[in-house]
């Protein structure tokens, strides 16, 4: 790619953004050297890298790339036999830790269901070297770039302890000295300080001979002499010897660590290159996510399709997305329209997207974006006036265009901004058409902006060339930045001048100077624009209808689900009621059978047989009632239903299969189909599924609570046995029993509580006094159970 093209299309700014997203110098170096490729396979690999990075970040979060250092110079020193300093060893330790963290971040196939062993990032991370032993040894031994830890070796720790002991001993001696009354008058300050690794005290100049010792320094004014008293000279000498031993041990440790690193030099060098590559690839992924980018589909036929493309250097909050296409039968796009209308931005967006794609970067657009692969991208954009070469704007542009025409071929993308401008309009238009025709003949892909009406006509009349325009709102005098392909742009000079207040007389005179062909052409463009606006309005109206239909459809689905839920609820309640009836019948059957067995033991045979027969009849009646109750349908099905006659709009009907009331909207058609408004829905139903609401009123009532009450009445029993329960348990059972008896329409019930102590009877009577369903109650009479039962009358 030409360096001038990269600069004009601001590809360098994209590289700067990418470089700032790297985390290491190594990754930044690769980003700053990135250039567009022309080989299709290489471009595909680069895009796959970015895809892989985006996938990793979305699934696992941002990778742990901290601690990556450029250790190449340190590894070079190792090759030359040098010993690494603490700072260099720390860098190597951090790099080893970064390798280990990335391997942990990558995980394994057993722990990650989305793990892809063939992914580019997985292969790169798999090649990293780790050495936890060396990493931990460096971390334990080195504190910072200049200092080793006491734990670096036992000997080093022992030496440093001796040094500290000696230093404390010296400080103690000197503190005693400066605090003594005999020495205080000689001292400038009562402090202990250090000069050249020797502990000294500050003595006044005039008393230098009063304090025996070695002079190590003098203040700048000469008033203070720093003396090492003779009493601590030997101790300071001991510290000096220990310092020499300490340094020797430090050098030994550094040599030992260096040898450990030297053993894996080649592996470390390989890991450095892999880390640099990973940092760069993840930067591409972060950039894709930051700018909401997509991976474009590639082709080598010069086809470009941009869906909602956004120039990455414009403010994300205000940039207007563009839709653009070129290729197949159309190789040249001529964009017209007023200045500041977005023509140049469109041109730069197309060119920059091509460069970004061929550099392996995602583009800020929507899915469905397609980018062609070009061998060359040429751009003639902006003011190219050259003072140094004494060239006018036109001459500078033409110099660049000549070079483009010499190098362009069928694999080239050529971008022209204001082609032919800067000279006489008629000549400029003629030159522009000739240039476009030449490029069309060699089958180059061209996007050009212009003001010339002649180029609009050329695009209309030439196969393979298409008009496009950047929309302009004459009412607000503002561009919309909306690109319209297939529509030539109007100059809007007269319309804009009229809005700005130019008199109609001057405008009329201006039109007289225009040729009739120009006037006719502008009128055609105005007519096309009006037709386009009408089509857009109709499309928006159609879209609103579609949205309304979708809402109605959703409401119909909601009503259907509601009906199904109600149906299921009724069936569930019916099943629960049937279960209760079965349980009650079983309990009564057991009671009757028990009494039958007792009767068999009685001596009066005739009486026994008679009572047994009565009990059998009672059991048969109860089972018959159970059978009838379970046979009652929840939603009755009317057989031989007759279709209503003479239905007219406004009639109230019942939709039988939905059990839903509705209003007739239109009379039956020839097929018997009727449109009925049911709630907010309009539905087509056959007349045979309808009944006039007056004819069906009693049926509607029966579908409701009446049938359920009937079912309860058939199944309800008139007595409840509470013997053996507590007062609280009995009250809870009576409360539900009274509810069921009231719904079933019973007038009287029997409560069996037994005689016993009378506590249960008393508690039940107290409960019945305040119950809303109880009209009155009394104890049983002779033959009813007397004191052992209570008879309650239901309201």
């Amino acid at each position: 790619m030409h360096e001038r093209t990269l600069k004009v299309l601001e590809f360098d700014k994209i590289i700067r953004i990418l470089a700032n997203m790297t985390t290491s110098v190594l990754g930044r170096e690769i980003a700053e050297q990135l250039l567009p490729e022309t080989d299709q396979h290489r471009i595909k690999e680069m895009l796959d890298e970015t895809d892989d990075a985006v996938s990793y970040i979305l699934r696992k979060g941002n990778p742990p790339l901290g601690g990556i250092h450029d250790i190449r110079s340190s590894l070079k020193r190792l090759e030359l036999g040098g010993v690494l300093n603490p700072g260099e060893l720390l860098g190597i330790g951090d790099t080893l830790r970064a390798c280990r963290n990335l391997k942990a971040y990558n995980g394994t196939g057993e722990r990650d269901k989305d793990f892809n062993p063939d992914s580019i990032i997985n292969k790169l991370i798999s090649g990293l070297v780790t050495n936890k032993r060396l990493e931990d040894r460096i971390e334990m031994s080195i504190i910072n770039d200049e200092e080793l830890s006491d734990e670096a070796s036992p000997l080093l720790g022992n030496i440093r302890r001796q040094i500290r002991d000696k230093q404390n001993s010296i400080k103690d001696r000197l503190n005693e000295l400066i605090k003594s009354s005999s020495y205080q008058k000689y001292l400038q300050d009562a402090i202990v300080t250090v000069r050249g690794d020797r502990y000294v005290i500050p003595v006044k100049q005039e008393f230098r001979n009063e304090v025996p010792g070695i002079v190590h320094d003098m203040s700048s004014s000469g008033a203070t002499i720093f003396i090492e008293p003779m009493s601590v000279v030997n101790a300071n000498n001991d510290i000096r010897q220990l310092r020499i031993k300490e340094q020797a041990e430090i050098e030994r440790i550094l040599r030992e660590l260096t040898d450990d690193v030297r053993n894996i030099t080649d592996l470390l060098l390989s890991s450095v290159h892999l880390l640099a590559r990973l940092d760069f690839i993840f930067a591409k992924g972060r950039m894709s996510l930051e700018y909401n980018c997509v991976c474009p589909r590639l082709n080598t036929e010069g086809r470009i399709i941009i869906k909602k493309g956004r120039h990455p250097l414009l403010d994300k909050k205000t940039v207007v997305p563009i839709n653009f296409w070129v290729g197949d039968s159309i190789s040249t796009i001529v964009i017209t329209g007023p200045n500041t209308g977005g023509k140049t931005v469109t041109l730069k967006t197309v060119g920059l997207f091509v460069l970004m794609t061929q550099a392996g970067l995602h583009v800020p657009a929507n899915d469905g974006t397609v980018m062609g692969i070009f061998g060359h991208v040429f751009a003639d954009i902006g003011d190219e006036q050259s003072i140094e070469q004494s060239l006018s704007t036109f001459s500078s542009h033409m110099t660049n265009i000549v070079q483009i025409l010499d190098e362009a071929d069928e694999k080239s993308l050529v971008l022209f901004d204001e082609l032919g401008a800067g000279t006489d309009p008629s000549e400029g238009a003629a030159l522009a058409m000739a240039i476009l025709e030449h490029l069309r003949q060699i089958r180059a892909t061209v996007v050009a902006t212009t003001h010339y009406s002649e180029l609009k006509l050329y695009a209309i009349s030439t196969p393979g060339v298409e008009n496009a325009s950047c929309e302009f709102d004459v009412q607000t005098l503002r561009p919309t930045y909306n690109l319209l392909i297939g529509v030539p742009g109007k100059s809007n000079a007269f319309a804009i001048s009229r809005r700005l207040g130019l008199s109609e007389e001057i405008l009329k005179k201006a039109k007289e100077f225009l040729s009739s062909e120009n006037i006719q052409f502008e009128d055609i463009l105005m007519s096309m624009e009006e037709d386009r606006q009408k089509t857009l309005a109709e499309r928006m109206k159609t879209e609103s209808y579609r949205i309304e239909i979708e809402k109605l459809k959703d409401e119909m689905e909601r009503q259907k689900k509601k009906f199904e839920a109600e149906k299921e609820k009724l069936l569930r309640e019916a099943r629960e009621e049937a279960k209760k009836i079965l349980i009650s019948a079983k309990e009564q059957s057991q009671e009757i059978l028990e009494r039958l067995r007792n009767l068999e033991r009685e001596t009066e045979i005739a009486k026994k047989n008679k009572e047994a027969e009565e009990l059998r009849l009672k059991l048969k009646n109860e089972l018959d009632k159970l059978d009838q109750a379970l046979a009652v349908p929840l939603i009755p099905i009317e057989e031989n239903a007759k279709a209503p006659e003479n239905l007219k709009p406004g009639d109230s009907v019942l939709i039988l299969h939905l059990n839903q009331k509705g209003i007739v909207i239109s009379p039956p058609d020839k097929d018997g189909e009727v449109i009925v408004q049911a709630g907010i829905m309009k539905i087509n139903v056959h007349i045979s599924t309808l009944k006039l609401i007056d004819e069906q009123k009693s049926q509607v009532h029966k579908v409701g609570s009446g049938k359920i009450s009937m079912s309860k009445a058939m199944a309800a029993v008139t007595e409840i046995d509470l013997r053996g329960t507590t007062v609280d348990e009995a009250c809870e059972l009576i409360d539900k029993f009274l509810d069921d008896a009231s719904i079933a329409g019973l007038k009287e019930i029997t409560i069996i509580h037994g005689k016993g102590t009378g506590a249960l009877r008393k508690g039940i009577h107290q409960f019945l006094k305040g119950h809303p369903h109880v009209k009155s109650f009394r104890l049983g009479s002779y033959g009813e159970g007397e004191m052992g039962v209570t008879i309650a009358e239901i309201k």
Side-chain angles (χ1 to χ4, degrees), residues 68 257 295 297 300 462 471 772 782:
I68 299 177
L257 290 173
C295 181
R297 297 198 303 270
T300 56
T462 306
E471 193 177 40
Y782 180 75

Side-chain angles (χ1 to χ4, degrees), residues 197-428:
D197 292 333
R198 312 286 285 195
Y199 284 92
V200 296
I201 56 176
V203 179
K204 295 177 182 178
Q205 169 66 30
E206 58 270 25
F207 298 113
R208 62 179 300 175
N209 294 325
E210 302 299 327
V211 179
I214 301 172
V215 177
H216 285 279
D217 199 4
M218 179 184 295
S219 66
S220 57
S221 63
T224 305
I225 302 296
F226 294 95
I227 297 176
E228 177 186 7
M230 292 302 298
S231 59
V232 298
V233 168
N234 290 334
N236 271 327
N237 288 338
D238 292 341
I239 290 177
R240 182 62 180 166
Q241 292 176 357
L242 290 171
R243 290 289 187 192
I244 294 172
K245 292 180 180 179
E246 177 190 27
Q247 187 58 37
E249 179 61 12
I250 288 174
E251 290 175 359
R252 187 196 68 77
I253 294 171
L254 292 177
R255 281 196 304 272
E256 186 177 281
L257 290 173
T258 299
D259 290 339
D260 287 344
V261 174
R262 187 177 284 110
N263 293 332
I264 58 170
T265 301
D266 294 338
L267 294 175
L268 278 173
L269 188 59
S270 173
S271 292
V272 167
H273 295 310
L274 294 176
L275 288 171
R277 193 74 190 163
L278 285 166
D279 187 15
F280 165 68
I281 291 172
F282 277 115
K284 292 197 296 179
R286 279 192 291 270
M287 182 175 175
S288 176
L289 293 171
E290 174 72 20
Y291 287 85
N292 196 20
C293 298
V294 298
C295 181
R297 297 198 303 270
L298 302 177
N299 70 90
T300 56
E301 292 79 35
R303 185 169 63 257
I304 299 175
I305 302 173
I306 297 176
K307 300 286 187 69
K308 299 291 184 182
R310 305 167 299 277
H311 196 290
L313 300 180
L314 296 180
D315 188 348
K316 290 186 286 187
K317 297 179 180 178
T318 59
V319 62
V320 178
I322 66 165
N323 293 305
F324 179 88
W325 62 265
V326 68
D328 296 329
S329 60
I330 303 298
S331 62
T332 302
I333 297 290
V334 178
I335 306 175
T336 52
N339 288 331
T340 72
K343 299 193 305 296
T344 303
V345 171
T346 299
L347 210 62
K348 287 187 173 183
T349 301
V350 174
L352 187 58
F353 274 25
V354 170
L355 296 179
M356 290 176 66
T357 299
Q358 296 189 203
L361 302 176
H362 288 176
V363 294
N366 286 4
D367 287 329
T369 296
V370 178
M371 301 304 298
I373 296 175
F374 298 93
H376 299 282
V377 178
F378 301 101
D380 183 63
I381 300 174
D383 187 359
E384 300 294 331
Q385 186 172 7
S386 174
I387 298 175
E388 292 84 357
Q389 299 179 17
S390 301
L391 294 176
S392 66
T393 300
F394 176 77
S395 299
S396 181
H397 275 292
M398 193 51 61
T399 300
N400 188 34
I401 290 171
V402 168
Q403 183 181 358
I404 291 173
L405 296 178
D406 286 340
E407 299 182 24
D409 56 22
E410 63 178 1
K411 295 293 184 182
S412 298
L413 171 65
V414 184
L415 308 173
F416 290 126
D417 189 25
E418 299 298 344
L419 181 60
T423 187
D424 178 77
S426 59
E427 293 182 355

Side-chain angles (χ1 to χ4, degrees), residues 178 180-188 204 206-207 210:
I178 61 178
S180 66
S181 56
S182 58
Y183 269 88
Q184 283 184 356
K185 61 183 178 180
Y186 303 142
L187 302 178
Q188 191 74 27
K204 295 177 182 178
E206 58 270 25
F207 298 113
E210 302 299 327

Side-chain angles (χ1 to χ4, degrees), residues 1-174:
M1 297 296 171
H2 288 246
E3 184 177 348
R4 183 178 174 280
T5 298
L6 299 178
K7 183 178 180 181
V8 167
L9 295 177
E10 300 178 292
F11 183 73
D12 58 321
K13 294 182 180 179
I14 300 298
I15 293 301
R16 197 174 305 133
I17 293 173
L18 177 63
N20 288 336
M21 290 190 173
T22 60
T23 59
S24 69
V25 175
L26 298 168
R28 189 180 188 89
E29 284 181 0
I30 298 177
E32 290 174 343
Q33 295 170 7
L34 180 64
L35 290 172
E37 298 282 348
T38 57
D39 180 72
Q40 181 182 2
H41 297 294
R42 177 59 184 146
I43 295 170
K44 180 68 168 58
E45 288 177 359
M46 295 164 71
L47 288 173
D48 287 344
E49 289 178 354
T50 311
D51 273 343
D52 209 13
V54 170
S55 176
Y56 261 78
I57 294 172
L58 289 177
R59 288 190 292 112
K60 299 173 178 289
N62 282 315
L65 294 170
I68 299 177
H69 297 278
D70 184 3
I71 60 173
R72 290 173 296 184
S73 60
S74 299
L75 299 179
K76 188 67 176 176
R77 285 188 60 200
L78 287 177
E79 292 180 3
L80 299 176
V83 176
L84 301 180
N85 59 46
E88 290 174 316
L89 288 168
L90 279 179
I92 289 171
D94 288 345
T95 302
L96 286 171
R97 186 177 301 105
C99 293
R100 181 169 54 82
N101 290 340
L102 277 169
K103 281 185 173 291
Y105 167 81
N106 189 39
T108 63
E110 290 75 18
R111 293 199 298 265
D112 187 354
K113 64 179 181 180
D114 297 320
F115 179 78
N116 179 14
D118 296 325
S119 73
I120 296 168
I121 290 179
N122 177 62
K123 291 180 179 178
L124 293 174
I125 293 178
S126 298
L128 295 174
V129 63
T130 58
N131 191 321
K132 187 69 165 59
R133 184 195 64 78
L134 179 56
E135 176 192 334
D136 291 342
R137 177 75 194 284
I138 292 174
E139 182 179 12
M140 180 188 70
S141 301
I142 302 175
I143 297 176
N144 53 45
D145 290 357
E146 298 179 353
E147 185 179 1
L148 265 65
S149 167
D150 290 355
E151 283 73 33
S153 75
L155 179 58
L156 182 61
N158 183 46
I159 292 172
R160 287 181 172 174
R161 279 192 297 274
Q162 293 183 52
I163 292 174
R164 286 192 291 271
D165 291 342
K166 291 288 185 181
Q167 289 173 337
N168 291 333
S169 175
I170 292 173
K171 290 177 185 178
D172 291 340
R173 293 182 194 176
L174 293 179

Side-chain angles (χ1 to χ4, degrees), residues 666-674 684:
S666 67
D669 60 16
K670 61 180 181 179
D671 297 323
E673 294 291 327
V674 182
N684 281 4

